[in-house]
Each structure stands twice: as structure tokens, then as C-alpha cells.
């Protein structure tokens, strides 16, 4: 199982980015996919996740209304559209496959991709 996150970059506050998480999982549509982020000196925190069967989504309060998660099972890819970015969103963003039952926690996810860096300047 491999997950490849991409799409990070540097933007100014108020800008947008779209992250992608491409998975090489035979049964991709059986997995919830979560996005996490880790800022320097801080713990990894859950941002959003999407369930496999009904596409139900969850968001942390810090990104609700600004970020949108979606999945394309045919492409085995999950996207995180990030709008109205703030400097506090600066972090390395990770995607992971596991169980999505609410705001994601790292312990609920079994497979992780490498991170992609998002930098938001004021």
C-alpha cells in the first residue's frame, strides 16, 4: 500500500491550493482517507477525512468552511481543496488510509504517505 501526496507549495494568505493523494491500494474504495498536518514543533493533527462507502466527510473546526475533501475512486485519488488559506495553515500535510468515523486521529490510520509542504505567508 502506497500513498503519494502532492500539490503543496507557497501561497499568500487568502490564496488556494489543492492537494492530491494518489493511492496504490487494490481495494481503495474500502478505505477511509484522512488528511493530517504537522506544523514545526507541534503534534500531528487531523484536518479532514472522507468515508469510503457514502463519502461522508469530517472537518476539524480550524478548517471547516474553508477546506473541502473529495475522492475519485476510479482514479484512486483523494483531494483536499484549501481556500482562504491562513498563515496558521502552514504545515506539512499528510494523507493516510484507515477508518474515518469523525475528525481523524493518527492512531486510526494504518497507511501513510510522505508529506507535502504548504507555506502560507501573510
Amino acid at each position: 500500500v502506497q500513498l503519494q501526496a502532492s500539490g503543496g507549495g507557497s501561497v499568500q494568505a487568502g490564496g488556494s491550493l489543492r492537494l492530491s493523494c494518489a493511492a496504490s491500494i487494490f481495494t481503495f474504495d474500502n478505505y477511509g482517507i484522512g488528511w493530517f498536518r504537522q506544523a514545526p514543533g507541534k503534534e500531528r493533527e487531523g484536518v479532514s477525512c472522507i468515508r469510503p462507502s457514502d463519502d461522508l466527510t469530517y472537518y476539524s473546526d480550524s478548517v471547516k468552511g474553508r477546506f473541502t475533501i473529495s475522492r475519485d475512486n476510479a482514479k484512486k485519488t483523494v483531494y483536499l481543496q484549501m481556500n482562504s488559506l491562513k498563515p496558521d495553515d502552514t504545515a506539512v500535510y499528510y494523507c493516510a488510509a484507515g477508518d474515518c468515523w469523525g475528525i481523524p486521529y493518527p492512531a486510526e490510520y494504518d497507511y501513510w504517505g510522505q508529506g507535502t509542504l504548504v507555506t502560507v505567508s501573510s
Side-chain angles (χ1 to χ4, degrees), residues 1-3 25 31-34 36 95-98 108-113:
V1 175
Q2 291 185 330
L3 299 167
I25 303 174
Y31 286 86
I33 301 294
F36 299 79
C95 62
E108 298 170 339
Y109 289 76
D110 300 317
Y111 306 104
W112 291 80

Side-chain angles (χ1 to χ4, degrees), residues 2 41 67 82 105 119:
Q2 291 185 330
F67 291 11
M82 307 187 297
Y105 288 92
T119 304

Side-chain angles (χ1 to χ4, degrees), residues 6-11 17 19 82 85 91 116-120:
S6 62
S10 297
V11 296
L17 283 173
L19 305 184
M82 307 187 297
L85 283 162
T116 185
L117 178 62
V118 172
T119 304
V120 184

Side-chain angles (χ1 to χ4, degrees), residues 56-100:
L56 193 63
T57 58
Y58 299 92
Y59 299 92
S60 67
D61 288 344
S62 60
V63 306
K64 194 175 297 181
R66 300 188 297 121
F67 291 11
T68 302
I69 190 171
S70 61
R71 66 189 292 155
D72 184 334
N73 286 339
K75 295 182 178 180
K76 297 186 177 181
T77 301
V78 170
Y79 305 98
L80 186 68
Q81 178 66 43
M82 307 187 297
N83 298 329
S84 302
L85 283 162
K86 304 175 182 180
D88 284 349
D89 296 318
T90 295
V92 177
Y93 284 71
Y94 301 87
C95 62
D99 292 325
C100 173

Side-chain angles (χ1 to χ4, degrees), residues 5-59:
S6 62
S10 297
V11 296
Q12 290 191 328
S16 298
L17 283 173
R18 188 176 81 157
L19 305 184
S20 298
C21 176
S24 60
I25 303 174
F26 182 72
T27 54
F28 175 78
D29 52 359
N30 287 348
Y31 286 86
I33 301 294
W35 283 99
F36 299 79
R37 67 186 182 186
Q38 189 164 18
K42 295 186 177 181
E43 293 187 353
R44 191 169 298 188
E45 64 167 336
V47 172
S48 179
C49 70
I50 185 166
R51 291 186 2 164
S53 54
D54 52 14
D55 285 354
L56 193 63
T57 58
Y58 299 92
Y59 299 92

